[in-house]
Amino acid sequence: MSEDGRPAPDLAFLHPYFLGPAAENDGLLEELLVEFLRDHVYWRRNFHPEDGLRIGAGARNRPDFLAFQALMRQELYALSADLKRAVPMYHPRYVGHMSADRLLPGLVAQLVTTLYNPNNVSDEAAPITLEKELQVGDQLARMFGYATDDEAEPCAWGHLTSGGTVANYEALWNLRSLKFYGVALQAAMARTGSDAGSVGPREKPLSEYSQWELLNLSVDETIALRREVGAAVLSEGGREGFDRLAQAVAEERVESLGLGGFYRKHARLEPPAVLVPVSAHYSWEKGMKVLGLGRANLIGVGVDDHMRMDRVQLRERQDEMFEAQRPVLAVVGVLGSTEFGTVDPIRAIVDIRDEVRGRRLDFPIHVDAAWGGYLASVFRDPDGALISRESVGASFKYFPSTPLYEAFAALHEADSVTVDPHKLGYVPYAAGAYVARNREAVDFVTQDAAYVFDVEGEQGAKPRRQRLRDLGRYILEGSKPGAAAAAVHVTHKTLPLDATGFGKLLAETVRACEYFWDTARARGSVLADRVRVCVPFEPDSNLICIAINPRENRDLGRMNRFGRAVFSRMRVDPDQPVQVKRFIGSYTSLRKESLPGDRSERLLGSLGIDPTTFTASPSDPVRESDHVFILRHTLMNPWLMDGPEGRPYVDLYWEYLEEVFEEV
């Protein structure tokens, strides 16, 4: 029984999922690895056994063989010894960054598949694991509510990346190609004298579209325009006219001219903007620089009191862009920020997009769900239907709030999503994913000129599903491990992406966060005579932050130094055995520019801090007063509510913190 009278959770269903905090399932893991190692050896021995052996039985007795074997063992033992000082992310005493124990299905699948070492760049290099990767894309797409049936319009697709950062780059890359395609197509048709008649959503000749109209076509309208013009030109001008236009389009596109050349050719074109919440991951700034879009064109949108994108300010920023006739490459909503775990109002972003479409304007929506994407499984029935908020909330105390539920319910209306299986998917690194609502969008980034302007169903053309098996044509990366695809695929097949599978696992982590939130307030009352404890904003997912300040202190710089001293007790020191750390955590900071309106004053007031000390000044050379230092807790370990003697690790953590406060 927990301190607040809650019954101990029944976590028996988790027992076969992981190796375990104390390696309780070591026998199972060993059996699986030995079994599939032997199976791999059998596979090798039976591929043309008539060839005989290349390594003879006597090889093991040669001095050079023995010397190499000894050196290899020596280095592996050294590595194993070094790894004992690694961060024990598998254990519930680790409440730091976004990592925990790995699910056994994915762990074994990755280790086993590494023996085969497939390269998922193409069907020829990895026919088995590449197909599994495309199936993973379908699995994730269905979890987000996208259609994946080949006959569906639009039909989704997805694939794996090395992580969420590359997936975000790919989102920008795809959307840049789509945004500028109509302008390039118009220029190519004028150059070749091609005529497709009345086309597109305005049902008029392409030459009569203004540049601004072409820059405000939706993703689906751009795809349909490409298909419509291609079919018309093929019908009227034959294959020769079609090929001539296809080549001209390829030459007119931003991928050929570069951004500088494209802007010079279309002098009235303003640089496109990408709108992101100020809480967004730093990969967006990196992506703008990598793709040549420019950091200055990444427009920050403020957040509300809950650290979610402020819908009012989004509307204002959007109107500013449209008033200046500046194209919006994307509005990015974050589904679980890496710093605070908060979820942006995806429903509101979709509503604003639908509203501006009534004015014949448009912007694509990308959702960065690297952290929170897998929580969508909590809201999905096994048949793919969305579960009602009331049904989901029946087993929680607070989760999900109405804005949170609406955000997940609106995911299927976004144009693309980033998600990281190596975070809340509990599979080994590296495994991020990019999922697009309309798979035809990838034809705009292919490296094969023949597909830059193609007509679906044309004689001799491969079916789209088969084309996507040439994966390297459509993605940013080249060589990529098939072992990652195998790990995610087996994990999803073992634990389906719905409320009975992954959702059941993740629900336990959300309940642990709810319990942490309750205990934070209860402990805050107990500690009030010594330390002020504040949860800056309600948690949206299974990540929660706390700010701490000595009772009589009024200075922010001193508060932050106190917080850092507390954190120093929880930071892994490579010069110390990790066992000396009773708990291991992480931290982040809140800066004034990221806090809305008078939110900083209210936060500092709850901590007893004089707001005038929240500023950078010459007297603060170490810059300890230009931010609010907070402890960040990622509660993704499923054993947090099942500690020694039936006591939740959350309670043990608070007892530890109380001791650390006294020490500091």
Side-chain angles (χ1 to χ4, degrees), residues 15-29:
H15 290 175
Y17 287 9
F18 300 93
L19 176 57
E24 296 91 340
N25 283 326
D26 63 321
L28 174 58
L29 177 59

PDB file of all heavy atoms in Angstrom, residues 15-29:
ATOM      1  N   HIS A  15       6.318  -9.034 -16.300  1.00  0.00           N
ATOM      2  CA  HIS A  15       7.429  -9.910 -15.937  1.00  0.00           C
ATOM      3  C   HIS A  15       8.185 -10.509 -17.121  1.00  0.00           C
ATOM      4  O   HIS A  15       9.416 -10.615 -17.069  1.00  0.00           O
ATOM      5  CB  HIS A  15       6.945 -11.016 -14.990  1.00  0.00           C
ATOM      6  CG  HIS A  15       6.580 -10.490 -13.631  1.00  0.00           C
ATOM      7  ND1 HIS A  15       6.017 -11.270 -12.636  1.00  0.00           N
ATOM      8  CD2 HIS A  15       6.688  -9.240 -13.087  1.00  0.00           C
ATOM      9  CE1 HIS A  15       5.805 -10.534 -11.558  1.00  0.00           C
ATOM     10  NE2 HIS A  15       6.193  -9.302 -11.813  1.00  0.00           N
ATOM     11  N   PRO A  16       7.524 -10.915 -18.213  1.00  0.00           N
ATOM     12  CA  PRO A  16       8.300 -11.469 -19.330  1.00  0.00           C
ATOM     13  C   PRO A  16       8.823 -10.421 -20.312  1.00  0.00           C
ATOM     14  O   PRO A  16       9.515 -10.764 -21.266  1.00  0.00           O
ATOM     15  CB  PRO A  16       7.287 -12.390 -20.025  1.00  0.00           C
ATOM     16  CG  PRO A  16       5.973 -11.721 -19.780  1.00  0.00           C
ATOM     17  CD  PRO A  16       6.073 -11.105 -18.415  1.00  0.00           C
ATOM     18  N   TYR A  17       8.508  -9.130 -20.088  1.00  0.00           N
ATOM     19  CA  TYR A  17       8.805  -8.109 -21.090  1.00  0.00           C
ATOM     20  C   TYR A  17      10.282  -7.714 -21.143  1.00  0.00           C
ATOM     21  O   TYR A  17      10.805  -7.418 -22.219  1.00  0.00           O
ATOM     22  CB  TYR A  17       7.996  -6.840 -20.809  1.00  0.00           C
ATOM     23  CG  TYR A  17       6.515  -6.914 -21.125  1.00  0.00           C
ATOM     24  CD1 TYR A  17       5.899  -8.117 -21.458  1.00  0.00           C
ATOM     25  CD2 TYR A  17       5.724  -5.773 -21.064  1.00  0.00           C
ATOM     26  CE1 TYR A  17       4.537  -8.172 -21.735  1.00  0.00           C
ATOM     27  CE2 TYR A  17       4.361  -5.814 -21.347  1.00  0.00           C
ATOM     28  CZ  TYR A  17       3.782  -7.026 -21.676  1.00  0.00           C
ATOM     29  OH  TYR A  17       2.441  -7.065 -21.944  1.00  0.00           O
ATOM     30  N   PHE A  18      10.953  -7.656 -19.983  1.00  0.00           N
ATOM     31  CA  PHE A  18      12.285  -7.070 -19.897  1.00  0.00           C
ATOM     32  C   PHE A  18      13.280  -8.054 -19.277  1.00  0.00           C
ATOM     33  O   PHE A  18      12.888  -9.018 -18.623  1.00  0.00           O
ATOM     34  CB  PHE A  18      12.254  -5.805 -19.030  1.00  0.00           C
ATOM     35  CG  PHE A  18      11.340  -4.714 -19.529  1.00  0.00           C
ATOM     36  CD1 PHE A  18      10.035  -4.608 -19.078  1.00  0.00           C
ATOM     37  CD2 PHE A  18      11.797  -3.790 -20.464  1.00  0.00           C
ATOM     38  CE1 PHE A  18       9.190  -3.608 -19.537  1.00  0.00           C
ATOM     39  CE2 PHE A  18      10.960  -2.780 -20.930  1.00  0.00           C
ATOM     40  CZ  PHE A  18       9.659  -2.686 -20.471  1.00  0.00           C
ATOM     41  N   LEU A  19      14.574  -7.775 -19.471  1.00  0.00           N
ATOM     42  CA  LEU A  19      15.598  -8.523 -18.748  1.00  0.00           C
ATOM     43  C   LEU A  19      15.412  -8.313 -17.252  1.00  0.00           C
ATOM     44  O   LEU A  19      15.632  -9.224 -16.454  1.00  0.00           O
ATOM     45  CB  LEU A  19      16.995  -8.073 -19.193  1.00  0.00           C
ATOM     46  CG  LEU A  19      18.191  -8.695 -18.477  1.00  0.00           C
ATOM     47  CD1 LEU A  19      18.170 -10.220 -18.591  1.00  0.00           C
ATOM     48  CD2 LEU A  19      19.504  -8.131 -19.027  1.00  0.00           C
ATOM     49  N   GLY A  20      14.995  -7.101 -16.858  1.00  0.00           N
ATOM     50  CA  GLY A  20      14.663  -6.820 -15.469  1.00  0.00           C
ATOM     51  C   GLY A  20      15.726  -6.010 -14.767  1.00  0.00           C
ATOM     52  O   GLY A  20      16.912  -6.113 -15.097  1.00  0.00           O
ATOM     53  N   PRO A  21      15.324  -5.208 -13.780  1.00  0.00           N
ATOM     54  CA  PRO A  21      16.278  -4.356 -13.062  1.00  0.00           C
ATOM     55  C   PRO A  21      17.427  -5.132 -12.433  1.00  0.00           C
ATOM     56  O   PRO A  21      18.539  -4.626 -12.325  1.00  0.00           O
ATOM     57  CB  PRO A  21      15.413  -3.686 -11.994  1.00  0.00           C
ATOM     58  CG  PRO A  21      14.029  -3.722 -12.540  1.00  0.00           C
ATOM     59  CD  PRO A  21      13.940  -4.994 -13.309  1.00  0.00           C
ATOM     60  N   ALA A  22      17.180  -6.365 -11.991  1.00  0.00           N
ATOM     61  CA  ALA A  22      18.232  -7.205 -11.415  1.00  0.00           C
ATOM     62  C   ALA A  22      18.529  -8.394 -12.324  1.00  0.00           C
ATOM     63  O   ALA A  22      18.976  -9.443 -11.852  1.00  0.00           O
ATOM     64  CB  ALA A  22      17.815  -7.686 -10.027  1.00  0.00           C
ATOM     65  N   ALA A  23      18.295  -8.235 -13.622  1.00  0.00           N
ATOM     66  CA  ALA A  23      18.541  -9.303 -14.608  1.00  0.00           C
ATOM     67  C   ALA A  23      17.803 -10.583 -14.229  1.00  0.00           C
ATOM     68  O   ALA A  23      18.316 -11.694 -14.416  1.00  0.00           O
ATOM     69  CB  ALA A  23      20.037  -9.557 -14.782  1.00  0.00           C
ATOM     70  N   GLU A  24      16.565 -10.431 -13.740  1.00  0.00           N
ATOM     71  CA  GLU A  24      15.796 -11.600 -13.310  1.00  0.00           C
ATOM     72  C   GLU A  24      15.528 -12.579 -14.453  1.00  0.00           C
ATOM     73  O   GLU A  24      15.374 -13.779 -14.213  1.00  0.00           O
ATOM     74  CB  GLU A  24      14.464 -11.155 -12.695  1.00  0.00           C
ATOM     75  CG  GLU A  24      14.606 -10.324 -11.421  1.00  0.00           C
ATOM     76  CD  GLU A  24      14.686  -8.830 -11.673  1.00  0.00           C
ATOM     77  OE1 GLU A  24      15.016  -8.426 -12.817  1.00  0.00           O
ATOM     78  OE2 GLU A  24      14.418  -8.055 -10.738  1.00  0.00           O
ATOM     79  N   ASN A  25      15.461 -12.080 -15.678  1.00  0.00           N
ATOM     80  CA  ASN A  25      15.188 -12.950 -16.833  1.00  0.00           C
ATOM     81  C   ASN A  25      16.465 -13.313 -17.590  1.00  0.00           C
ATOM     82  O   ASN A  25      16.444 -13.499 -18.811  1.00  0.00           O
ATOM     83  CB  ASN A  25      14.192 -12.265 -17.779  1.00  0.00           C
ATOM     84  CG  ASN A  25      12.768 -12.336 -17.262  1.00  0.00           C
ATOM     85  OD1 ASN A  25      12.382 -13.320 -16.630  1.00  0.00           O
ATOM     86  ND2 ASN A  25      11.980 -11.313 -17.518  1.00  0.00           N
ATOM     87  N   ASP A  26      17.588 -13.410 -16.859  1.00  0.00           N
ATOM     88  CA  ASP A  26      18.850 -13.741 -17.533  1.00  0.00           C
ATOM     89  C   ASP A  26      18.793 -15.090 -18.227  1.00  0.00           C
ATOM     90  O   ASP A  26      19.326 -15.274 -19.323  1.00  0.00           O
ATOM     91  CB  ASP A  26      20.013 -13.697 -16.544  1.00  0.00           C
ATOM     92  CG  ASP A  26      19.874 -14.726 -15.425  1.00  0.00           C
ATOM     93  OD1 ASP A  26      18.741 -14.940 -14.941  1.00  0.00           O
ATOM     94  OD2 ASP A  26      20.903 -15.314 -15.035  1.00  0.00           O
ATOM     95  N   GLY A  27      18.137 -16.063 -17.579  1.00  0.00           N
ATOM     96  CA  GLY A  27      18.041 -17.393 -18.186  1.00  0.00           C
ATOM     97  C   GLY A  27      17.289 -17.361 -19.498  1.00  0.00           C
ATOM     98  O   GLY A  27      17.701 -17.998 -20.483  1.00  0.00           O
ATOM     99  N   LEU A  28      16.192 -16.620 -19.535  1.00  0.00           N
ATOM    100  CA  LEU A  28      15.404 -16.514 -20.768  1.00  0.00           C
ATOM    101  C   LEU A  28      16.213 -15.853 -21.872  1.00  0.00           C
ATOM    102  O   LEU A  28      16.231 -16.335 -23.015  1.00  0.00           O
ATOM    103  CB  LEU A  28      14.125 -15.712 -20.480  1.00  0.00           C
ATOM    104  CG  LEU A  28      13.243 -15.368 -21.679  1.00  0.00           C
ATOM    105  CD1 LEU A  28      12.797 -16.628 -22.413  1.00  0.00           C
ATOM    106  CD2 LEU A  28      12.034 -14.535 -21.235  1.00  0.00           C
ATOM    107  N   LEU A  29      16.904 -14.755 -21.540  1.00  0.00           N
ATOM    108  CA  LEU A  29      17.711 -14.077 -22.549  1.00  0.00           C
ATOM    109  C   LEU A  29      18.828 -14.988 -23.061  1.00  0.00           C
ATOM    110  O   LEU A  29      19.074 -15.068 -24.269  1.00  0.00           O
ATOM    111  CB  LEU A  29      18.305 -12.789 -21.972  1.00  0.00           C
ATOM    112  CG  LEU A  29      19.238 -11.998 -22.891  1.00  0.00           C
ATOM    113  CD1 LEU A  29      18.529 -11.583 -24.178  1.00  0.00           C
ATOM    114  CD2 LEU A  29      19.792 -10.766 -22.174  1.00  0.00           C
TER     115      LEU A  29
END
